[in-house]
Amino acid sequence: MKFTNSIRTSMCITVLTLLLTISSFAQAPEKMSYQAVIRDAENALVTSQQVGMQISILQGDVAVYEETQTPTSNTNGLVSLEIGEGTVISGSFTAIDWSVDTSFIKIETDPTGGTNYTITGTSQLLSVPYALYAKTSSDASAVAVNSDKIGYTEALVSANTDVAANTAKTGITSEQTSSITANTAKTGISSGQSDAIIANTAKTVITSDQSDAITANTSKVGYTEAAVSANTAVTANTAKTVISLEQSDAISANTAKVGYTEPTYFVKNFYEELGGYVIEISASGKHGLVAARIDQGTSNWYNAINLLSNPDNHDAAGADFKDWRMPTYRELNLIYENKFGIGGFTDTYYWSSTQYDANGAWLQDYYNGNQYNASKSGTSSKVRA
C-alpha cells in the first residue's frame, strides 16, 4: 500500500511528501518500509542532510507505538527507513494488534536533524499487511489458505484440519495430498504411475517390465541375463578387461608378478631371449644394448634398414625381434671393441646410422678400428644390427 501526503504548517510553508510501502513476506518482517521527500520552507529539496523524525502508530487517539529515527536524505531529498527498527519511545511494534478496525500513522519531522518537529502529518492505514495480521488473528477462515503456515502455533496446526496432512507440501490441498500420499520423492509422478514403477527403485526411466528383465543383471551394463549365460567366453574374465579367456589362463597364476624379479645381464654374454650379445649395460645390470650375432649383409647406406628389418637376415635367436636398428657411430665402436667376444666379423667397413652430411655417413674399419665418413651410395660396406 502506498500513499502521498502534502502538509503545510501554520507557522511556515513547508511541504513534506510521504511515501509509505508496507510489504509482507514468507515470515512476518516485524517492520514496514517508509520513504519521504523532504523540502524546506522555500519548497526546495533538503538533500544529503540528516533529518529528525518521530513515527507513531495510532489506534483511535491512542499511540500504541512510537519511535524516532534520524535518516539522511539523498541527492533527491529522499529518505528511506524501516519503521520498527528505530529508537523506541513507547509500545512494541511486534505487539501491535492489526485486527483493530482503524489504524493511523503519524509522522513528525525536523528538517534540521533535531527533535524540533515542525512538520506533522497523519494518514490512515487503509489496509494492513497480511502477514502481520494473520500471525495474531484467530479467524480460522483467514488462515485456512495460509499454506506456508506463517504464525501458526502447534495448537492451531492441530485444529486446522484443512492443512493437517499438508506437512511441508506448500500450496497443496489435503485432497491433492491424499492422491499423492504414496508418491514420496517421486516428483511429478501420479499415484497410478507410482504403482507402475514402485519396484523400480534407483532405476530411472526403466519400467517395471524392463526391471524384471534385468533384475539379475546387477553391474553388467548392457547384458541381458540370457546373454550373460551364453557368454561363456568371458565368464572367467572377472576384472581382466579386454583379456581373452586364453590370455587369462596364461597369466592367471601370475597376478601382480608375485615372486618375479628382472634378470641381471653382463657384457659379451649371449642371451637367447635377447637375440644377441650384450655390448653395454646400465649400472643396475638390467638394461642396455644388444648386438646381433651375425652380419645382415652388404649394401649402400640407404638400403641398410631393409636388411635389418628382414628376419631372414638374422639367426634363429634374432629373427623374432622386430626392433633391430643400425648402431650409431658410438655404438658401432662398442661392437668393434667386443668383436672378438661376439664373433662373425670380417676385417672390412661397417655402416653406422650417424650421418656426416647430406651425402655422407660414418663407417668404421673393423681391421684397425678407425672411423671414416664415406658416400652413402657406396655398396661395399656391411651392416650389423
Side-chain angles (χ1 to χ4, degrees):
M1 178 188 67
K2 299 182 180 179
F3 63 85
T4 303
N5 185 21
S6 297
I7 306 295
R8 294 180 182 270
T9 68
S10 59
M11 298 179 63
C12 61
I13 300 175
T14 307
V15 178
L16 173 66
T17 302
L18 305 178
L19 178 63
L20 176 64
T21 302
I22 305 175
S23 304
S24 63
F25 300 89
Q27 297 296 326
E30 309 297 0
K31 60 185 178 180
M32 292 189 295
S33 297
Y34 174 84
Q35 291 182 318
V37 176
I38 309 301
R39 297 179 182 273
D40 61 17
E42 283 75 36
N43 202 32
L45 292 173
V46 178
T47 61
S48 303
Q49 180 176 316
Q50 189 177 73
V51 296
M53 304 183 75
Q54 179 169 304
I55 304 97
S56 304
I57 302 297
L58 308 177
Q59 291 181 342
D61 295 329
V62 179
V64 296
Y65 176 75
E66 295 178 294
E67 69 172 31
T68 60
Q69 297 199 35
T70 54
T72 299
S73 62
N74 65 15
T75 55
N76 296 313
L78 180 70
V79 295
S80 299
L81 51 99
E82 301 289 343
I83 299 174
E85 292 191 344
T87 301
V88 178
I89 299 175
S90 65
S92 170
F93 190 81
T94 60
I96 297 173
D97 181 3
W98 297 104
S99 64
V100 174
D101 289 342
T102 306
S103 295
F104 297 85
I105 184 168
K106 177 181 180 182
I107 305 296
E108 300 172 86
T109 306
D110 180 355
T112 65
T115 58
N116 182 24
Y117 305 117
T118 59
I119 304 171
T120 302
T122 302
S123 298
Q124 181 180 355
L125 294 176
L126 299 180
S127 63
V128 177
Y130 175 76
L132 293 176
Y133 172 73
K135 76 184 183 70
T136 58
S137 175
S138 60
D139 186 349
S141 62
V143 299
V145 294
N146 188 13
S147 56
D148 285 341
K149 300 180 181 177
I150 298 170
Y152 277 11
T153 65
E154 185 60 30
L156 284 174
V157 172
S158 299
N160 189 8
T161 55
D162 286 344
V163 296
N166 193 22
T167 304
K169 295 170 182 172
T170 304
I172 300 176
T173 66
S174 57
E175 290 78 11
Q176 291 172 316
T177 299
S178 299
S179 67
I180 62 170
T181 299
N183 193 22
T184 305
K186 293 169 182 171
T187 305
I189 300 174
S190 68
S191 58
Q193 291 172 316
S194 178
D195 292 339
I197 62 170
I198 197 164
N200 192 23
T201 305
K203 293 170 182 171
T204 306
V205 193
I206 299 175
T207 67
S208 57
D209 293 337
Q210 291 171 317
S211 179
D212 292 339
I214 62 171
T215 299
N217 194 21
T218 306
S219 299
K220 294 170 183 173
V221 179
Y223 278 11
T224 65
E225 183 62 27
V228 172
S229 299
N231 195 10
T232 55
V234 297
T235 300
N237 194 21
T238 305
K240 293 171 182 171
T241 307
V242 194
I243 299 176
S244 68
L245 185 59
E246 292 76 13
Q247 291 172 314
S248 177
D249 291 340
I251 64 171
S252 59
N254 194 22
T255 304
K257 299 183 179 179
V258 177
Y260 174 80
T261 58
E262 291 183 294
T264 301
Y265 300 101
F266 300 93
V267 173
K268 295 184 182 179
N269 284 11
F270 174 78
Y271 296 91
E272 186 78 24
E273 71 272 20
L274 300 180
Y277 287 87
V278 174
I279 61 171
E280 186 179 42
I281 58 173
S282 64
S284 66
K286 301 180 185 301
H287 306 281
L289 297 173
V290 176
R293 188 162 53 173
I294 64 172
D295 291 340
Q296 278 66 62
T298 302
S299 73
N300 60 28
W301 185 86
Y302 300 103
N303 193 49
I305 189 65
N306 294 326
L307 296 178
L308 300 181
S309 62
N310 189 345
D312 293 339
N313 295 327
H314 295 269
D315 61 7
D320 291 336
F321 291 86
K322 308 299 182 185
D323 57 348
W324 292 110
R325 61 175 174 80
M326 290 177 65
T328 66
Y329 75 133
R330 184 192 74 83
E331 295 164 350
L332 188 65
N333 188 62
L334 281 175
I335 297 173
Y336 168 78
E337 292 176 352
N338 293 282
K339 72 173 184 174
F340 296 110
I342 297 174
F345 291 97
T346 57
D347 293 335
T348 187
Y349 298 102
Y350 284 80
W351 284 116
S352 79
S353 63
T354 306
Q355 301 184 69
Y356 176 74
D357 57 22
N359 298 313
W362 288 96
L363 47 74
Q364 185 157 357
D365 185 348
Y366 268 43
Y367 172 73
N368 57 27
N370 293 330
Q371 292 186 328
Y372 308 94
N373 66 81
S375 173
K376 295 178 181 178
S377 59
T379 61
S380 60
S381 297
K382 290 192 172 185
V383 178
R384 177 67 72 101

